[in-house]
Structures are given as C-alpha cells and as structure tokens.
Amino acid sequence: SAFFGTLHRRAPCGSLDDPAEVFFGLPDPVREVRGRVPAHRFHELHHDDLVADPTGTLADLCGFLGLSTPPDYLTDCASIVYESPNRSRTTLGWSPELVARIAIRSAQHPSLSRYRMDDLAASGEAS
C-alpha cells in the first residue's frame, strides 16, 4: 500500500518487512474500537473512496459528524484532493513472498480486505 512506501521512505530500513509489521499492527486498535462502540457511532473512510468521490465522501463524513456542509465548503475541500491515488508502492522492491504474506494478512482485516496488491504481482514489479 502507499502506507508501506511512506514508512519505508521516512525510515529506510533496506527491507519492507519492518514497515509491513508496523502496518499490520495498526488495524488492531481499529478493530477494538469498532467492537466497543455501537455501529452508528463508527465511521470508516477509505482513501480510495475519498479520491474517487471527494465531495460525496466528505459529505458522508460531515453528516456522520453532524456538521452542515455548504456546497462551497465541499467543493473547496474536494479541489485539494488528488485526482488519483499515489501508487508509491510501485517504486519499491517487493519480494513475491512479501506480496503473498500481505495479501493473506490483509484479507484477515475487514478494514483492509478491499485493498489489493495485484498490480505489483501482475506487472512483475514484485522482485
């Protein structure tokens, strides 16, 4: 994911295994909070949804928070969202084993199960 690339760039360690371990430690608190609060008090926002439909995604978030959303506010916010996701992960050296491990572990987390690394495996970028 882009998160791996960001972690790796900010603290280069030579291997993507360490950022992967950090990354997979993050969803556990999300899962814990989700289990503790009523469903109507939990809002999950996915980056790819924000990029694909910034106005609608922000309107949903503001509605969840009970905030009014004047059209110019949503338009202004949407104007600073990238038009497409930054695929920084494609600039890193992924081993096929790590790509496979990440796919398995992502499938185990409801918040991550929709994200795929097929673009690395299919393009031969996993080395």
Side-chain angles (χ1 to χ4, degrees), residues 15-34:
S15 166
L16 289 168
D17 290 323
D18 293 337
E21 289 307 312
V22 169
F23 179 79
F24 282 108
L26 296 176
D28 293 331
V30 173
R31 188 182 301 182
E32 186 176 321
V33 169
R34 178 184 272 162

Side-chain angles (χ1 to χ4, degrees), residues 1-20 22-23 88-89 91-94 98:
S1 82
F3 184 80
F4 285 99
T6 301
L7 269 179
H8 188 65
R9 277 191 312 281
R10 290 188 179 163
C13 56
S15 166
L16 289 168
D17 290 323
D18 293 337
V22 169
F23 179 79
S88 60
R89 68 177 174 255
T91 65
L92 304 172
W94 299 88
L98 183 57

Side-chain angles (χ1 to χ4, degrees), residues 32-93:
E32 186 176 321
V33 169
R34 178 184 272 162
R36 289 183 179 197
V37 300
H40 72 277
R41 297 201 57 213
F42 186 89
H43 182 81
E44 187 164 343
L45 187 150
H46 290 269
H47 178 255
D48 56 336
D49 292 339
L50 179 64
V51 171
D53 179 17
T55 303
T57 303
L58 290 169
D60 290 346
L61 176 61
C62 289
F64 172 77
L65 295 171
L67 302 172
S68 63
T69 54
D72 59 332
Y73 171 78
L74 293 174
T75 302
D76 289 347
C77 289
S79 73
I80 62 170
V81 176
Y82 289 108
E83 291 183 18
S84 63
N86 180 353
R87 303 269 185 226
S88 60
R89 68 177 174 255
T90 62
T91 65
L92 304 172

